[in-house]
Amino acid sequence: MASPALTEYDVIFVGAGTSGGVAAGRLAVADPSLKILLVEAGPHVKDDEAFVQPAKCLSHLRADNPVFKVHVSEHSEFLGRQQAVTVPHVVGGGSSVNFTIYNRAVASDFDDWEKVHENPGWGAKDLVPLLRKTENYQVAEGKDDVHGYGGPINVSYGGKFTNVGKDFLDVAKEFDKTRTSTDDPNAVIRDTNHYGRFQKFIDGKTGKRSDVAHHFLYNNLKTTGLEILTGTFVKRVIFENKRATGIEIIPNLTFQPNADATKSKVIRAKRLVVISSGTFGSPQVLERSGIGAKSILEKAGVTQLVDLPGVGENFQDHTTLFTTYHATPDSDTLDGIGRGDPEDLKQFGDQFWKDGTGIMAHNGVDGGIKYRPSAAELEAIGPDFKKRWDEYFVGKDDKPVLWMCQLSLFLGDPHSVPARKYFTIGFFAGYPVSTGHVHIKDGQNPDAAIDFEGAYVKRPEDMAVMKFGYKLGREFARRMQCYDGEFVPGHPEFPTGSEATVHTSAKPVPVGAPRINYTAEDDKALEAGIRKLVAPAWHFIGTNAMKPRERGGVVDPKLNVYGVEGLKVCDISILPSNVCANTYSTALLVGEKGAVIIAEELGIQGV
Ligand SMILES: Cc1cc2nc3c(=O)[nH]c(=O)nc-3n(C[C@H](O)[C@H](O)[C@H](O)COP(=O)(O)OP(=O)(O)OC[C@H]3O[C@@H](n4cnc5c(N)ncnc54)[C@H](O)[C@@H]3O)c2cc1C
């Protein structure tokens, strides 16, 4: 079994993912004498093309990829089927495999954490400067005081502007004259409803992915006290008188196949243990350590140390539909790279290594919008959503209801569909009401099956938003010049003869063409289709919510786990409520905030 160099460290991070990697990297640079161990269940990614080249993100979606752990929800009552989610186990966590879409939360999302969930220091006033600290906005240096210009994480448009993306934005200008266009949808933090060219977590100079592994960890290994132990699970945290003093580790047999999983080791932490195992991993580590609801721990054979029933509850994701269309042969898409076509790999790989441009330095996403409906559109979303709108959105004018983007690719296992060109309209419900849970069933084995309940269209409010989003996205798609028909398995099955029927082969309609009229029967078919097709967004949050203990909270505003000492959680499992954005930006932010909090407590200057 792989072992760390020492038996005792100052600080131990459980998981070398996004937030944990940022916090550990910041602390290590500020105080190079600090001995920091990151224990990571997955393997290294250093200079590995599959992780460094952004367009290769599609290759991770192959069903046989060992860096993704699959969890299946056994609660099928809402969808009428089981829902599987895939969770990355790799150094850098989500930052090493994600789609590099750059999208920041709106200001009221942060203010909700501070005011509604009672977390001083977590409002927009305090957090926007930390967003800037991480970022190096290469698009236009010094453009405004919303972006950052000297941080480790580069943000650019990537190596190309795909003709599919241009097409989407051209349609937007003509089709929806009530909303404006921008070259930077993240330029203003208290605004929404602008179509714009989406930027990417891609280095505009090299074309490489702006991940945490290479920009906070590998680059600091030689000059600081950082150490990463890979292929290893943290089974549990060790306590003495309710103070965290270390961790117990065992090998992850997927990456250490010859190790003995019955032999564990204890590594001691002198000053702090930080759980940064993500929304799926962190509640499991807490529960295996005896922190959680009694009934759950008892069933898993774990003795309770602290009664904290909020652990593993409040699971959220952005309910998503990735609706797929056939793209014309001249469309710029990533499908060939995803399939591993040798010609595409050679052509775009050569260009990438020559000057960091081209479609290999791209994620397929160019155009999108954070969408707040008009009064007429609210009517169309229907009565199921009315109460939610009144309670959650009114008075917070920067809150979109959904965001939508075009993707120049088929989103899924590229080998599961016929080899051709695709484009996708993805839309994400910003603040679904549905929640689920993540709990252990086995108190000993971190690799064992868990009790996972997804959070996908359990509530009519969420279904109403998804139906609206499908119809809207489809109107965009059929007006785009690259539209070459609809990928039938990716759409609902509408009644025969319906105006809403899906067409395998079709040409674009004029921008001014009437919208498809959906009958009540069509709407029923649409609901059934959404239950069949709804997808996780990989934006898992909330299972260790930062809120008062009596309201189901797990950590306080200093990220301390209630009821013990010397133990914090630092990843997006702490989010008490959702953000209307892809979550990488927010995970970086939690890492930055965690570093500041930990540095203050340990007396470290310069973070
Ligand atoms: C396929 C995919 C596409 C995405 N696309 C985008 C996008 O385009 N834009 C965007 O903004 N966001 C995107 N995201 C979301 C974003 O990347 C994540 O929300 C974010 O990285 C989560 O950060 P985290 O620190 O909370 O967890 P993670 O980064 O997942 O880190 C947790 C780490 O802990 C490790 N771990 C877990 N349990 C244990 C254990 N017991 N012992 C040791 N280690 C353990 C895991 O292996 C992992 O490395 C995507 C995510 C995925 C998976």
Side-chain angles (χ1 to χ4, degrees):
M1 167 181 172
S3 291
L6 308 174
T7 53
E8 186 174 74
Y9 291 80
D10 293 305
V11 183
I12 293 178
F13 283 83
V14 180
T18 307
S19 309
V22 170
R26 288 286 187 201
L27 293 166
V29 171
D31 181 358
S33 73
L34 208 63
K35 295 286 175 210
I36 300 178
L37 176 68
L38 296 112
V39 180
E40 169 53 48
H44 279 297
V45 295
K46 189 160 187 318
D47 299 328
D48 183 333
E49 282 189 5
F51 298 94
V52 166
Q53 293 182 319
K56 294 261 178 81
C57 60
L58 281 177
S59 63
H60 299 304
L61 300 184
R62 290 177 58 151
D64 57 354
N65 186 351
V67 306
F68 274 112
K69 172 89 184 159
V70 181
H71 297 292
V72 180
S73 175
E74 291 167 351
H75 303 261
S76 55
E77 53 274 29
F78 295 100
L79 297 182
R81 65 178 167 98
Q82 292 191 322
Q83 176 68 61
V85 296
T86 49
V87 178
H89 280 326
V90 70
V91 173
S95 82
S96 296
V97 296
N98 69 25
F99 275 73
T100 65
I101 300 173
Y102 171 75
N103 194 3
R104 305 200 325 187
V106 298
S108 70
D109 295 344
F110 302 142
D111 291 341
D112 283 351
W113 300 348
E114 181 163 57
K115 294 188 189 121
V116 178
H117 301 290
E118 302 177 44
N119 295 299
W122 287 85
K125 176 174 65 61
D126 295 291
L127 297 185
V128 172
L130 293 179
L131 284 174
R132 300 186 62 204
K133 183 178 175 183
T134 323
E135 177 174 314
N136 184 34
Y137 189 73
Q138 297 173 312
V139 176
E141 200 164 324
K143 171 173 169 279
D144 54 39
D145 59 3
V146 172
H147 291 292
Y149 301 95
I153 294 291
N154 294 303
V155 175
S156 74
Y157 285 126
K160 192 168 178 77
F161 192 172
T162 63
N163 52 13
V164 181
K166 280 187 199 139
D167 204 351
F168 175 88
L169 290 171
D170 287 348
V171 169
K173 275 192 198 131
E174 293 302 311
F175 179 61
D176 182 2
K177 294 206 163 130
T178 65
R179 293 175 176 81
T180 55
S181 294
T182 170
D183 59 355
D184 180 8
N186 289 283
V188 186
I189 60 162
R190 287 193 192 273
D191 199 8
T192 204
N193 256 344
H194 307 288
Y195 293 96
R197 192 174 166 196
F198 268 35
Q199 289 133 12
K200 297 142 190 84
F201 285 105
I202 292 177
D203 184 339
K205 296 204 170 103
T206 63
K208 290 184 183 175
R209 168 188 289 278
S210 290
D211 63 350
V212 167
H214 291 83
H215 297 83
F216 282 91
L217 297 175
Y218 292 138
N219 54 332
N220 293 318
L221 278 180
K222 283 198 183 128
T223 50
T224 68
L226 275 182
E227 185 181 330
I228 309 172
L229 179 68
T230 57
T232 303
F233 280 123
V234 172
K235 185 170 156 188
R236 64 189 179 108
V237 179
I238 309 281
F239 294 93
E240 284 169 25
N241 297 324
K242 292 204 176 171
R243 180 173 183 87
T245 55
I247 54 166
E248 184 181 348
I249 58 169
I250 58 168
N252 179 352
L253 294 181
T254 306
F255 301 108
Q256 295 193 57
N258 301 322
D260 182 352
T262 61
K263 294 226 168 80
S264 69
K265 266 189 198 145
V266 170
I267 315 292
R268 294 186 66 81
K270 270 197 279 195
R271 303 178 78 180
L272 188 65
V273 176
V274 182
I275 303 181
S276 47
S277 311
T279 293
F280 276 87
S282 291
Q284 293 186 59
V285 175
L286 283 174
E287 288 182 345
R288 286 195 299 273
S289 309
I291 301 175
K294 195 160 191 203
S295 57
I296 288 159
L297 302 186
E298 260 173 9
K299 267 193 253 160
V302 177
T303 308
Q304 191 183 51
L305 181 72
V306 179
D307 184 25
L308 212 49
V311 174
E313 293 294 307
N314 192 41
F315 170 85
Q316 296 173 55
D317 189 3
H318 292 120
T319 314
T320 302
L321 273 191
F322 295 112
T323 326
T324 310
Y325 300 89
H326 293 150
T328 50
D330 60 343
S331 304
D332 303 321
T333 80
L334 274 62
D335 297 301
I337 295 174
R339 278 193 303 270
D341 290 355
E343 246 177 56
D344 282 26
L345 289 179
K346 165 106 183 67
Q347 182 192 343
F348 299 123
D350 286 352
Q351 190 180 352
F352 177 92
W353 289 117
K354 188 170 145 250
D355 58 10
T357 66
I359 209 156
M360 191 65 94
H362 202 275
N363 61 1
V365 181
D366 283 303
I369 182 169
K370 292 185 187 180
Y371 202 97
R372 186 172 167 96
S374 64
E377 287 168 332
L378 274 175
E379 283 289 309
I381 295 176
D384 284 340
F385 185 65
K386 173 85 176 65
K387 190 159 170 270
R388 175 68 171 163
W389 172 263
D390 290 345
E391 287 174 359
Y392 198 76
F393 293 87
V394 171
K396 293 172 185 166
D397 294 347
D398 61 350
K399 276 207 194 305
V401 164
L402 57 86
W403 78 101
M404 174 169 76
C405 60
Q406 130 288 331
L407 300 99
S408 309
L409 47 89
F410 168 77
L411 199 143
D413 181 346
H415 296 282
S416 66
V417 291
R420 60 161 299 156
K421 291 194 175 186
Y422 297 91
F423 77 95
T424 298
I425 302 290
F427 65 91
F428 306 75
Y431 310 93
V433 193
S434 309
T435 60
H437 62 245
V438 170
H439 292 299
I440 56 165
K441 289 203 283 197
D442 181 322
Q444 298 299 313
N445 179 7
D447 213 13
I450 60 170
D451 173 15
F452 162 52
E453 182 186 14
Y456 305 103
V457 292
K458 282 163 67 177
R459 298 272 296 260
E461 300 91 316
D462 298 340
M463 179 57 91
V465 172
M466 297 312 284
K467 280 161 66 181
F468 174 79
Y470 173 82
K471 291 175 187 174
L472 180 70
R474 197 174 178 202
E475 294 301 344
F476 271 80
R478 58 201 278 270
R479 286 167 172 76
M480 288 166 64
Q481 289 311 302
C482 61
Y483 176 82
D484 202 19
E486 296 169 314
F487 177 63
V488 174
H491 288 257
E493 207 177 312
F494 293 105
T496 318
S498 155
E499 195 184 314
T501 302
V502 175
H503 299 285
T504 307
S505 178
K507 293 295 155 212
V509 298
V511 177
R515 294 186 184 218
I516 296 168
N517 180 36
Y518 293 82
T519 63
E521 289 239 311
D522 293 330
D523 268 356
K524 261 198 208 148
L526 178 53
E527 279 193 22
I530 287 170
R531 288 203 176 85
K532 189 172 113 196
L533 299 166
V534 74
W538 295 287
H539 299 161
F540 317 126
I541 67 151
T543 50
N544 294 309
M546 177 175 64
K547 52 187 182 182
R549 189 172 179 176
E550 62 281 7
R551 287 171 53 195
V554 175
V555 298
D556 70 14
K558 298 287 181 196
L559 302 178
N560 298 309
V561 177
Y562 290 119
V564 291
E565 286 177 14
L567 184 64
K568 292 186 190 290
V569 178
C570 182
D571 56 41
I572 59 170
S573 71
I574 63 130
L575 303 196
S577 56
N578 225 325
V579 293
C580 190
N582 309 66
T583 43
Y584 180 26
S585 162
T586 306
L588 292 165
L589 171 70
V590 170
E592 293 284 12
K593 181 77 176 170
V596 170
I597 290 170
I598 295 168
E600 266 168 21
E601 276 184 28
L602 301 188
I604 296 166
Q605 307 295 315
V607 166

